[in-house]
Amino acid sequence: MTSAAEQFASNINLASFAKAEELKKRLLFTLGALIVYRLGTFVPIPGIDPVAFSSGFQSQQGGLLGTLNIFAGGAVERMAIFALNIMPYISASIIMQLMSAVIPSLEAIKKEGEQGRRQINQYTRYLTVFLATMQGYFIAVSLMGQAGTVTNPGPYFLATTTITLVGGVMFLLWLGEQITARGVGNGVSLIIFAGIVAELPRAIAGLLDQGRTGAGIGGGAILVIAALALGLIAFVVFMERSQRRILVQYPRRQVGQRMTQGEKSHLPLKLNVSGVIPPIFASSLLLLPATAAGAVGEGSPDWLQNLTYLFAPGRPSYIALYAALIIGFTFIYTSVVFNVEDVADNLKKYGGFVQGYRPGARTAEYLDFVLTRLTAIGALYLTFVCILPEVLKASYSQSIPVYIGGTSLLIVVSVTLDTVSQIQGHLVAQQYESLIKKSKLRGGRR
């Protein structure tokens, strides 16, 4: 027998969407906020010569700047006020989650409920400001090191550029929180999603133009890339929705004079518990040498230049280390966000147990056994999706877009699934409220 929620979801159609006034307001607010974000990606930093910077960017778009430009929605190419996007906040969130698992005081704060969550969020914002300041400073120094890019280099430009970039990050963080509270979906994720999708048409147009002119890639290869992209999207959707459902049994309970029957439920374990965090964190670490070399400029030491060359995108050493970092961070982050001991203790607290295993330590061991194997599959899946475009670029052509795989594809698919799920949830709630009102009206008439 299907549940009430499933029955409601099966009856959702365009008519129910048309009646969902609250949902339409949330969608319009989300759309308006994303438009504001996109407008900000076209506002350049003061004191920059756009023509000189554009010519320098074209020679580096296949490397560090090109990678950052994808997530920033083209803001790096225009050196706009949102050039850092929301990435410093993502890095700060990852660092705080890892620190909460190893520092007892932060772990205690995290367990304080809503108040602890707010305090951790405040610490994350402070760390975001610090990381954004460091990155903004490095960008400002790098810009001054490029001849003709800055119209009036000096301490004033260094300070204003750093403050502008940090302000852009914090504004996007505030905008993302507003989308989460008053719109649909996770605001921070939607901002990254909008930046990636906004650059997709131009990437496709550039690829088609290369096929037409025969420069870099042929027409037949474009068809292969299109088929591969569609196949990867279907594969990512399947893997992101895959889960292992562990049967949990609850004992019979006496309610008054009546003995209730024991209930059964399922504990869902996703195949990819860590989401897109491992690839993001791995790519951030791999970009550190290039970021440091860019900040130092032409006077960077030989060891830093060699390190930057060794771990340049597309090189075998870069691909191997990228894969190793993704696998490592997948296991680390999964252990942080899903504590098997806490889950086992909660099941024991509410009387639930996994059939064949004693509540407590034995249940935790079994959950760890299952989760480890799921994480291994998830890590290999993330590695395959993220490494594929790098391998294709290194083997065939640098013109192959990263949209056929990698972190960008994972973000687009996961955010789309999450947003659609939330929209369906709003429609189910609206239809449920409508049925309750109708039943009350019928009862009043009687």
Side-chain angles (χ1 to χ4, degrees):
M1 180 180 294
T2 59
S3 63
E6 291 173 342
Q7 292 177 359
F8 287 140
S10 63
N11 294 328
I12 291 174
N13 49 34
L14 293 177
S16 62
F17 178 80
K19 297 177 182 178
E21 296 296 331
E22 177 67 20
L23 176 59
K24 287 191 286 187
K25 291 180 182 179
R26 285 179 171 271
L27 288 173
L28 289 175
F29 180 85
T30 303
L31 180 61
L34 293 179
I35 290 175
V36 171
Y37 158 65
R38 285 302 299 161
L39 291 175
T41 61
F42 290 89
V43 180
I45 294 174
I48 298 291
D49 185 348
V51 178
F53 178 78
S54 178
S55 61
F57 176 82
Q58 294 300 323
S59 61
Q60 305 180 50
Q61 61 179 349
L64 170 64
L65 292 181
T67 303
L68 297 177
N69 191 54
I70 294 172
F71 297 103
V76 176
E77 181 179 2
R78 296 179 285 271
M79 194 45 64
I81 58 176
F82 292 159
L84 290 179
N85 200 268
I86 205 74
M87 299 311 292
Y89 173 74
I90 299 297
S91 301
S93 299
I94 297 172
I95 293 173
M96 285 303 302
Q97 287 182 331
L98 295 176
M99 291 176 63
S100 299
V102 298
I103 300 179
S105 58
L106 289 178
E107 186 178 5
I109 294 175
K110 189 177 181 181
K111 293 181 178 180
E112 291 179 359
E114 181 65 21
Q115 183 179 357
R117 186 185 65 83
R118 290 180 180 178
Q119 192 168 356
I120 292 294
N121 287 342
Q122 194 64 25
Y123 291 157
T124 304
R125 293 187 183 96
Y126 293 149
L127 185 57
T128 300
V129 173
F130 173 76
L131 294 178
T133 302
M134 296 296 294
Q135 294 179 19
Y137 175 80
F138 286 148
I139 288 178
V141 172
S142 178
L143 290 173
M144 289 194 300
Q146 300 176 13
T149 300
V150 180
T151 56
N152 188 19
Y156 179 76
F157 172 81
L158 189 65
T160 55
T161 300
T162 303
I163 293 173
T164 300
L165 291 174
V166 173
V169 173
M170 300 313 294
F171 175 79
L172 289 181
L173 177 57
W174 173 83
L175 189 65
E177 291 176 347
Q178 296 302 308
I179 294 174
T180 302
R182 304 169 59 185
V184 177
N186 183 282
V188 173
S189 299
L190 282 173
I191 288 175
I192 301 176
F193 170 86
I196 296 173
V197 172
E199 290 298 295
L200 183 58
R202 187 171 65 167
I204 294 176
L207 188 64
L208 293 177
D209 185 65
Q210 291 181 13
R212 181 181 58 84
T213 59
I217 194 169
I222 293 179
L223 296 178
V224 174
I225 290 174
L228 183 60
L230 293 176
L232 269 178
I233 291 174
F235 175 67
V236 171
V237 171
F238 173 78
M239 296 296 286
E240 289 295 325
R241 297 178 69 92
S242 299
Q243 58 181 224
R244 167 75 181 275
R245 303 178 70 186
I246 297 178
L247 181 63
V248 177
Q249 178 74 43
Y250 290 91
R252 294 187 299 173
R253 296 180 180 180
Q254 185 172 358
V255 180
Q257 299 297 325
R258 187 170 58 92
M259 181 68 72
T260 61
Q261 187 176 3
E263 297 180 354
K264 294 181 180 180
S265 70
H266 291 88
L267 176 64
L269 297 180
K270 289 187 63 178
L271 188 64
N272 179 26
V273 178
S274 59
V276 298
I277 297 302
I280 290 177
F281 207 41
S283 58
S284 299
L285 287 180
L286 285 174
L287 291 176
L288 284 178
T291 304
V296 175
E298 296 180 357
S300 58
D302 293 338
W303 67 267
L304 184 57
Q305 295 181 11
N306 294 334
L307 194 64
T308 303
Y309 173 77
L310 186 63
F311 295 111
R315 294 191 59 82
S317 52
Y318 172 89
I319 295 174
L321 184 58
Y322 190 24
L325 288 175
I326 290 175
I327 294 173
F329 284 130
T330 300
F331 279 93
I332 294 173
Y333 194 75
T334 299
S335 64
V336 170
V337 299
F338 193 95
N339 191 315
V340 292
E341 294 181 357
D342 290 344
V343 175
D345 289 341
N346 288 332
L347 288 176
K348 183 179 180 180
K349 179 181 178 181
Y350 292 101
F353 63 93
V354 178
Q355 291 184 348
Y357 298 91
R358 293 176 60 88
R362 286 288 297 150
T363 300
E365 291 177 3
Y366 172 71
L367 292 178
D368 182 67
F369 174 83
V370 175
L371 187 64
T372 300
R373 279 145 184 79
L374 290 177
T375 304
I377 299 174
L380 294 176
Y381 144 70
L382 288 176
T383 303
F384 170 76
V385 174
C386 295
I387 293 300
L388 180 62
E390 300 295 338
V391 173
L392 292 177
K393 283 183 179 181
S395 302
Y396 298 100
S397 173
Q398 288 291 329
S399 304
I400 294 178
V402 297
Y403 297 99
I404 66 169
T407 312
S408 56
L409 177 62
L410 291 171
I411 292 175
V412 169
V413 172
S414 61
V415 172
T416 301
L417 292 175
D418 179 64
T419 305
V420 170
S421 177
Q422 290 201 25
I423 291 175
Q424 290 177 344
H426 282 289
L427 290 175
V428 168
Q430 183 266 336
Q431 195 172 29
Y432 182 72
E433 292 175 359
S434 177
L435 289 176
I436 291 178
K437 290 179 181 180
K438 289 180 180 179
S439 62
K440 288 183 178 180
L441 289 176
R442 292 172 183 172
R445 290 173 184 174
R446 293 176 183 175

